[in-house]
């Protein structure tokens, strides 16, 4: 083999060995991040990795002449530089709250539970009939700010004479953060009861959407909380307890997931620090209370584009090319760590079916045609809550049923107001409890 070719082979071999060493050290770093739960913003894992790499480099160079002894340190230097980016915050580490909305006043209420929540009030229209019972909206997430799209729907209900209140659950939107260990599904239910007490207007009607629907379902199963509820609307609920959360069954008609254009805008997951933090949290390799990225920093970093195809999954496939902007960049707020924490407490909770069977609060269930939720999350509530008086299967919409497209907001409002006013339903009562097996088989 010609000398030049041999040199090329040797050089290539050394480069590959160096790259392998960098990759190995990066894997060691990630393993230590998981083992230390990101202690010290990842610096504990970084310094240990650097020490291990330096020790191995020293051992490899022990028989070499002085200048050559430095060569094994090159992969260590490269790995140290790459992994250091995981340890350096790129956003504020103190919570940066969204600015005030231009169309509604933000109030802050301190609840008896210790939560301090952002509250929005849409008084009933001055003209036309006014409904005496306040209507409280529980948004989805969990621990997500109320979107502008949802605010517009609440304004529609207020124009129809409803006294509408909404609050961003603790940690979401403009509400104050909690210590990570206090984010539980039980705390969410207690906050709902405390909010109604703070409202001081007697019993309230509750509209719970998505994870807010799960909070509402659990409230119906708690007699002390249910006593504060006048009527309940469970819209596209998340799982109500551990057994339900572990169901991976039927879903609705095809959603726009995988069909809609990719969301635009910056993503925190394009930054190594947050890609590692959020990725390992999703895999369960970091706790929500990780020392790598604090709760406030994670909230500040996370963007709407980070939700990826989750937003598209809330719309029907037919709407893939016209999914509306649900929020503004300034108003968007989501706490990934707190959300995972609450979801885990749901998964760890025992069945609430025995308690739900004793519910007496009049309730309605809303199910979307193109739902991305497991159908059994809704039908399990229907099967066990004898006070669910009607079910409204909403054709032509996805998980986010009031989405501003076509007449979807008006149709959702018609279903909601008919139930609250005890008027005939605009749609057939479907599925009934007896029809659940057929519904699960046909509508998927």
């Amino acid at each position: 083999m010609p000398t030049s070719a041999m040199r090329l082979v040797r050089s290539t071999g050394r480069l590959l060995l160096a790259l392998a060493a960098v990759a190995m050290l990066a894997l060691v770093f990630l393993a230590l991040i998981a083992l230390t739960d990101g202690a010290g913003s990842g610096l504990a894992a970084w310094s240990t990795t650097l020490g291990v790499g330096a020790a191995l480099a020293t051992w490899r160079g022990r028989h070499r002449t002085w200048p050559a002894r430095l060569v094994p340190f090159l992969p260590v230097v490269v790995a140290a530089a790459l992994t250091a980016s995981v340890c350096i915050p790129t956003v504020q580490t103190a919570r940066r709250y969204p600015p005030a909305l231009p169309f509604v006043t933000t109030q802050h209420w301190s609840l008896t539970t210790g939560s301090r929540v952002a509250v929005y009030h849409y008084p009933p229209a001055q003209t036309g009939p006014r409904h005496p019972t306040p209507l409280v909206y529980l948004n989805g997430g969990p621990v997500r700010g109320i979107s502008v799209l949802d605010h517009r729907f609440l304004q529609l209900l207020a124009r129809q004479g409803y006294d509408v209140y909404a609050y961003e659950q603790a940690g979401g939107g403009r509400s104050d953060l909690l210590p990570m260990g206090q984010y539980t599904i039980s705390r969410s239910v207690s906050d709902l009861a405390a909010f109604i007490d703070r409202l001081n207007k007697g019993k309230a009607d509750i509209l719970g959407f998505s994870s807010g629907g799960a909070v509402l379902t659990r409230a119906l199963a708690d007699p002390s909380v249910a006593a504060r509820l006048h009527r309940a609307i469970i819209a596209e609920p998340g799982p109500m307890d551990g057994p339900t959360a572990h169901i991976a069954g039927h879903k609705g008609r095809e959603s726009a997931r995988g069909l809609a254009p990719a969301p635009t805008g910056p993503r925190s997951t394009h930054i190594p620090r947050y890609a590692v933090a959020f990725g390992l949290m999703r895999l369960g390799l970091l706790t929500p209370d990780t020392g790598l990225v604090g709760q406030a920093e994670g909230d500040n970093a996370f963007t709407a584009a980070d939700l990826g195809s989750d937003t598209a999954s809330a719309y029907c496939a037919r709407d893939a090319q016209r999914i509306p902007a649900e929020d503004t960049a300034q108003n968007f707020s989501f706490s990934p760590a707190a959300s995972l924490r609450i979801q885990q407490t749901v998964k760890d909770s025992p069945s609430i079916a025995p308690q739900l069977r004793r519910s007496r609060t009049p309730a309605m269930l809303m199910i979307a045609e193109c739902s991305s939720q497991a159908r059994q999350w809704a039908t399990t509530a229907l099967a066990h809550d004898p006070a669910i008086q009607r079910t409204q299967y909403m054709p032509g919409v996805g998980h986010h049923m009031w989405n501003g497209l076509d007449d979807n907001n008006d149709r959702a409002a018609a279903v909601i107001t008919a139930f609250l006013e005890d008027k005939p339903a605009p749609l057939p009562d479907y599925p009934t409890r007896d029809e659940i097996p057929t519904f699960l088989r046909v509508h998927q």
Side-chain angles (χ1 to χ4, degrees):
M1 180 181 294
T3 303
S4 59
M6 293 179 64
R7 289 174 180 167
L8 178 61
V9 170
R10 288 172 184 161
S11 298
T12 302
R14 293 191 190 102
L15 177 60
L16 291 175
L17 286 173
L19 291 174
V22 171
M24 181 195 71
L25 290 171
L27 288 173
V28 169
F29 172 73
L30 291 175
L32 289 171
I33 286 285
L35 288 172
T36 62
D37 199 26
S41 195
L43 289 174
W46 184 82
S47 57
T48 303
T49 302
L50 187 60
V52 169
L56 289 174
T58 301
W59 182 82
R60 287 186 59 205
R62 68 191 186 283
H63 297 307
R64 301 184 184 187
T65 59
W66 171 243
R69 289 183 183 181
L70 299 177
V71 174
F73 284 88
L74 182 59
V76 180
V77 172
V78 173
L82 290 175
T83 54
S85 63
V86 177
C87 306
I88 303 172
T90 61
V91 300
Q92 294 179 20
T93 55
R95 182 69 174 106
R96 184 180 64 240
Y97 291 94
L101 290 165
F103 49 80
V104 64
T105 300
T106 304
Q107 305 175 53
H108 285 91
W109 290 5
S110 294
L111 306 180
T112 55
T113 56
S115 299
R116 185 170 181 270
V117 297
V119 181
Y120 309 94
H121 180 210
Y122 292 106
Q126 296 297 321
T127 58
R130 303 177 69 175
H131 306 279
T133 305
L135 173 62
V136 176
Y137 177 59
L138 288 176
N139 67 302
V143 200
R144 179 175 177 176
I146 299 174
S147 69
V148 171
L149 205 59
D150 282 0
H151 276 289
R152 290 173 185 156
F153 183 65
L154 299 180
Q155 290 171 325
L156 171 61
L157 294 174
R159 288 195 297 271
Q160 297 185 9
Y162 290 88
D163 192 16
V164 181
Y165 289 83
Y167 68 94
E168 289 168 319
Q169 296 171 50
R174 296 164 185 81
S175 294
D176 286 5
L177 306 182
L178 296 176
M180 190 58 67
Q182 293 185 26
Y183 289 108
T184 66
I185 189 63
S186 297
R187 175 61 171 266
S188 299
V189 174
S190 297
D191 279 352
L192 172 61
F195 181 84
I196 297 172
D197 290 345
R198 175 69 172 74
L199 192 58
N200 196 29
K201 292 191 174 185
K203 290 187 176 184
D205 293 326
I206 311 295
L207 168 59
F209 167 64
S210 194
S211 63
V215 173
L216 178 54
T217 304
R218 294 181 70 95
L220 293 171
D222 184 333
S224 65
V225 182
R228 299 167 167 87
L229 311 184
H230 178 248
R231 283 179 174 255
I233 300 166
I234 307 167
E236 279 286 285
M240 67 183 193
D241 54 24
T244 312
H246 288 92
I247 295 175
H250 309 280
K251 294 189 178 182
R253 306 290 189 195
E254 185 182 14
S255 76
R257 181 188 289 269
L259 302 175
T264 59
R267 296 192 183 199
S268 68
T269 47
H270 288 169
I271 301 170
R273 177 172 175 81
Y274 307 112
V276 169
F278 298 148
L280 292 182
M281 273 192 276
R282 286 294 297 268
L283 293 172
L285 298 176
L286 286 180
T287 67
D289 203 17
T290 176
L292 180 59
V293 172
Q295 178 188 174
E297 182 189 350
D299 293 4
N300 294 340
F302 203 88
T303 69
D306 285 321
L307 292 175
S309 58
D310 284 357
T311 298
S313 70
Y315 294 83
C316 291
R318 67 177 71 93
D319 296 324
Q321 302 305 316
R322 58 171 194 154
I323 292 176
E326 294 194 338
D327 214 344
T328 64
Q330 294 75 25
N331 185 62
F332 177 81
S333 171
F334 182 70
S335 178
S339 181
L340 287 172
R341 162 76 182 164
I342 290 180
Q343 291 177 61
Q344 190 59 52
T345 65
V346 174
K347 293 176 182 177
D348 293 341
S349 67
S351 172
I352 64 167
Q355 294 83 5
L356 193 59
R357 291 190 190 104
R358 295 194 288 270
S359 175
R360 296 296 179 266
T361 304
M364 178 179 73
L365 181 65
M366 296 176 70
I367 304 177
E369 178 184 7
C370 310
S371 178
S372 56
Q373 307 279 78
R375 290 298 198 191
Q376 286 92 331
W377 294 351
T379 58
T380 298
L382 174 61
H384 293 292
D385 185 350
I388 293 180
Q389 299 176 346
R390 64 177 75 167
T391 302
Q392 300 285 270
Y393 177 73
M394 304 291 292
V397 294
H399 178 60
H400 204 158
M401 292 181 285
W402 40 86
N403 52 38
L405 297 175
D406 304 327
D407 63 344
N408 292 341
N409 283 16
D410 290 332
R411 291 196 295 130
V415 164
I416 291 168
T417 57
F419 173 71
L420 293 178
E421 297 168 27
D422 201 21
K423 293 180 178 178
L427 298 171
D429 181 17
Y430 176 77
T432 63
R433 290 176 184 82
D434 292 340
E435 293 171 322
I436 289 175
T438 303
F439 175 78
L440 293 175
R441 185 174 63 254
V442 173
H443 293 284
Q444 56 172 306

